Amino acid sequence: MSTSSTTADNRSKVGPDRPQRNAGQARRAADWARRAPLLPALLFTIVVTQLPFLATIVISFMNWNSYYPQDRGFGGISNYVSVFTNAQLRGAVWNTVLLTVTVVAVSLVLGMLIALLLDRKFMGRGAVRTMMIAPFLVVPIAAALLWKHALFNPNYGLLNGTLNAIWKLFGSDGAPQVDWLSTAPKIAIEVSLIWQWTPFMMLILLAGLQSKPADAEEAARMDGATGFQIFRYLTFPHLRQYLELGGLLGAIYIVQNFDAVFTITAGGLGTANLPYTIYQTVFSAHDYGLASAMGVVVVIATIIVANFALRVVASMFKQEAGR
């Protein structure tokens, strides 16, 4: 009697949980059925991205220079010591930071101004948008060649040709013929990259402007708010996420820019950035260990800078929202 009552009690305890367990198992099976097609892509991504990075970390601790094959072996942290004590590399780090900050900041400002203009209705707006996007569609190496030969060339470039035309309007043939690449090599590289990346920032910010609710702006206008006040307190806070996205994506791509530096100045005149210095270390010095250590430092620094930049931008907008 007591045994049958105990069994009945256990069934009464287990019985209600069984459907829940079955439902949980069915839900997990359904989740795995949805995720299973993504596993090959996940494995492929791990193989082509993480395994090479692990190999780079291993090589960075080795003395591996093809000019000295007899010295190949474990070198400890000697490559990392060279990275932080090499004056040439410190200059490359500074050039990379300066190039990235300048191009991203100027591109964001110009992109926002152009996006504000294109957000208004006017005749031919579609054609103007297409023309504004065109620079970003140019292949980076072709864009660098365009700026180097068609614009900056002191003999037949467009910039000096424009100066000649202006001087002739005033009856003079003595227009200055500036060698732009020798006079301002860093600015020349920055201008070419700003020209190419401003449309990218403009596209992101224009998408943000077109997602802005119109009723709040109309209410502000009815309350007598000026155009600057609407931009200051409505439009600019609304663009926060889009500015963060544009700045982050731009920084990630421009930090690793190689085409413009290689094509316009070939790393000369103090313009070599980290990607170009790594390229020289691998293909000129054939020092694979040192180049791998430089690459690892670049990756870690990029992650730190990206996180720091996101925190700073987020705190700025929190302060702005609290006013």
Side-chain angles (χ1 to χ4, degrees):
M1 182 68 179
S2 62
T3 304
S4 61
S5 64
T6 304
T7 305
D9 292 341
N10 291 335
R11 285 177 180 174
S12 64
K13 294 178 181 177
V14 173
D17 295 336
R18 179 170 296 175
Q20 294 180 359
R21 287 202 300 271
N22 293 336
Q25 292 174 355
R27 187 174 59 253
R28 285 194 292 273
D31 291 342
W32 274 108
R34 287 196 301 270
R35 295 167 183 165
L38 300 176
L39 285 178
L42 177 62
L43 293 175
F44 177 79
T45 303
I46 292 174
V47 169
V48 300
T49 60
Q50 302 306 308
L51 292 184
F53 183 63
L54 290 176
T56 303
I57 293 175
V58 173
I59 296 173
S60 68
F61 290 100
M62 296 177 61
N63 291 324
W64 187 355
N65 191 319
S66 60
Y67 287 139
Y68 309 99
Q70 69 280 3
D71 295 334
R72 184 186 304 178
F74 181 72
I77 61 172
S78 60
N79 289 324
Y80 289 94
V81 173
S82 299
V83 167
F84 291 105
T85 57
N86 190 317
Q88 182 183 3
L89 183 61
R90 287 200 299 272
V93 171
W94 171 245
N95 288 337
T96 304
V97 172
L98 185 64
L99 181 71
T100 303
V101 172
T102 304
V103 173
V104 170
V106 177
S107 298
L108 276 176
V109 173
L110 293 178
M112 185 168 62
L113 293 177
I114 297 172
L116 289 171
L117 292 176
L118 293 181
D119 191 43
R120 299 175 180 274
K121 293 182 179 178
F122 58 88
M123 184 180 296
R125 185 173 66 169
V128 174
R129 283 184 183 177
T130 304
M131 288 189 291
M132 294 304 299
I133 296 170
F136 189 65
L137 303 179
V138 178
V139 177
I141 192 75
L145 287 171
L146 173 72
W147 278 90
K148 180 179 182 180
H149 294 291
L151 285 97
F152 290 140
N153 190 286
N155 298 320
Y156 53 82
L158 181 61
L159 296 181
N160 282 348
T162 303
L163 291 178
N164 283 330
I166 294 173
W167 254 250
K168 285 182 180 179
L169 287 177
F170 296 95
S172 173
D173 292 330
Q177 297 300 288
V178 183
D179 190 348
W180 302 95
L181 296 182
S182 301
T183 306
K186 291 181 182 178
I187 295 177
I189 295 173
E190 291 165 356
V191 168
S192 69
L193 290 174
I194 290 169
W195 174 78
Q196 193 162 31
W197 279 91
T198 296
F200 176 78
M201 305 299 183
M202 182 267 294
L203 277 177
I204 293 178
L205 296 175
L206 185 60
L209 287 173
Q210 293 185 346
S211 67
K212 184 180 62 174
D215 52 351
E217 184 174 338
E218 290 179 6
R221 290 188 186 281
M222 292 179 65
D223 290 340
T226 63
F228 178 75
Q229 289 174 328
I230 292 174
F231 173 78
R232 174 79 168 75
Y233 296 105
L234 291 178
T235 305
F236 193 66
H238 174 76
L239 292 177
R240 182 195 69 178
Q241 294 179 342
Y242 301 92
L243 288 168
E244 290 178 3
L245 179 64
L248 182 61
L249 292 178
I252 290 172
Y253 280 98
I254 293 170
V255 156
Q256 54 186 321
N257 179 270
F258 174 81
D259 308 84
V261 175
F262 177 77
T263 304
I264 295 177
T265 62
L269 303 172
T271 60
N273 60 351
L274 279 172
Y276 185 82
T277 304
I278 294 174
Y279 162 80
Q280 279 189 318
T281 306
V282 172
F283 293 101
S284 298
H286 295 277
D287 194 338
Y288 307 127
L290 180 59
S292 299
M294 293 163 64
V296 172
V297 171
V298 170
V299 171
I300 295 173
T302 303
I303 294 173
I304 294 173
V305 171
N307 286 323
F308 179 73
L310 285 176
R311 289 176 183 275
V312 170
V313 173
S315 64
M316 288 173 58
F317 281 102
K318 283 182 181 178
Q319 293 176 0
E320 189 68 25
R323 291 181 180 179

